[in-house]
DNA sequence: ACCTGAACACCGTTCAAGT
DNA sequence: ACCTGAACACCGTTCAAGT
């Protein structure tokens, strides 16, 4: 799932890899089906080099997406310190929505490149799952949501975020969806 | 959005079109990225003929998907006659889930072919929206769900269905998601 | 009016040759 | 151990010629 860290990369290889990821982020955000060949060219590496690092489109997109999503995941812990559990949960979802809109091109690339699972689901057990787990547990202990909701449930429930058109009034549509999800989570909570 | 019905197609063109759709359904269900050229060949038409009917992949996938989804949409009206509104709504969602799993390959093709919107969203105002509108209105009038929920809200809320892996215990995961959505819809309903 | 299939363009993938 | 870039394979799209 990750690059095996057994043999540390040679310094030039390391730089090439980073340059590719850097260019890929920009290009894929701009257009979801940017040619891999153009990414290789703009990164200043040969075709063969590109394929040494990323044997297929999915592996590249996954790596870029993982890195971007991690930034949002990391904020969960911070939010829990400054707000009540349910405020933190909702705020985190809002940030996730905002992020999903900003990186719509990338998310699109993600949907097209991965096989069966869209957006967050393709990342597997990673920082996203950990962040969600943290938020859910805090709320469960505070009695603000029903017990027994898994990170998987949550990710499925907010999947609609990635179907919202980033143009137009995405804020309204996202808000309505997240309100509905929050109500669903609250149903059957001890604190009621 | 639809084929202009002004000039009725010549009989051979009509047959070709139907043969293409027939083969496309089978091929796309089997593999989401089946080559269009192979579909044309198996349908027994030339490349040019294929592109006369469907100028790009999206238009083909959309047409096939639309036709398949319509079958589920049509059952909504029937369900409302034999059950209470909320039973009908839930049963309809279950059928939709079952259908989404059976046609997972097609849904995958849909995600990859359409630009920004996945699965149902790409269909625009059609039979799906009508069916959802019918079910929501019946429930709203019965006081079993909160007022003001739009078909768009609903479609976004169940978007997670198309992220579920058809293998494994999809029934459990779908059930948990739909339970959560139902609870969300019920929150703030007059009958409580 | 519609069909055919060869020709073209594009992009992902491989591989022999280099450092 | 890693890089390069030409060569190859595949697939979508077009178009001149046919009925």
């Amino acid at each position: 799932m990750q690059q095996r860290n057994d043999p540390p990369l040679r310094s030039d290889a390391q730089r090439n890899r980073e340059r590719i990821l850097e260019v890929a982020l920009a290009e894929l955000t701009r257009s979801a089906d940017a040619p891999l060949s153009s990414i290789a060219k703009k990164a200043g590496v040969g075709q063969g080099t590109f394929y040494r690092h990323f044997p297929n489109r999915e592996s590249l997109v996954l790596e870029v997406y993982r890195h971007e999503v991690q930034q949002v995941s990391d904020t969960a812990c911070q939010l829990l310190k400054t707000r009540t559990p349910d405020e933190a949960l909702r705020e985190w979802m809002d940030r996730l929505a905002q992020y999903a809109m900003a990186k719509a091109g990338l998310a699109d690339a993600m949907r097209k490149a991965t096989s069966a699972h869209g957006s967050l689901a393709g990342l597997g057990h990673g920082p996203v799952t950990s962040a969600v787990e943290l938020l859910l547990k805090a709320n469960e202990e505070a009695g603000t949501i029903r017990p027994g909701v898994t990170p998987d449930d949550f990710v499925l429930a907010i999947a609609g975020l990635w179907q919202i058109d980033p143009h137009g009034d995405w804020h309204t549509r996202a808000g309505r969806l997240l309100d509905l999800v929050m109500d669903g989570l609250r149903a059957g909570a001890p604190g009621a």
Side-chain angles (χ1 to χ4, degrees), chain A residues 83-157:
Chain A
R83 307 171 196 233
T84 66
D86 62 332
E87 281 171 352
L89 177 59
R90 180 53 201 263
E91 172 68 20
W92 190 79
M93 292 199 295
D94 278 329
R95 293 191 186 191
L96 192 62
Q98 200 172 337
Y99 211 78
M101 296 304 103
K103 306 286 178 180
L106 233 189
D108 211 27
M110 188 74 181
R111 283 215 309 275
K112 287 177 179 174
T114 75
S115 44
H117 22 52
S119 317
L120 292 187
L123 300 179
H125 278 277
V128 188
T129 307
S130 304
V132 173
E133 217 161 18
L134 214 65
L135 289 163
L136 290 178
K137 186 175 292 182
N139 276 275
E140 188 171 327
E141 285 172 0
T144 47
I145 68 169
R146 102 174 77 182
V149 178
T150 68
D152 180 63
D153 294 335
F154 183 80
V155 168
L156 287 181

Side-chain angles (χ1 to χ4, degrees), chain A residues 19-42:
Chain A
R19 283 245 295 285
I20 292 172
L21 285 172
E22 205 172 329
V23 173
L25 170 60
E27 291 298 294
L28 290 175
T29 302
R30 202 173 53 78
S31 168
D33 32 35
L36 298 185
S37 48
S38 81
I39 294 178
K41 180 167 289 180
K42 292 194 180 183

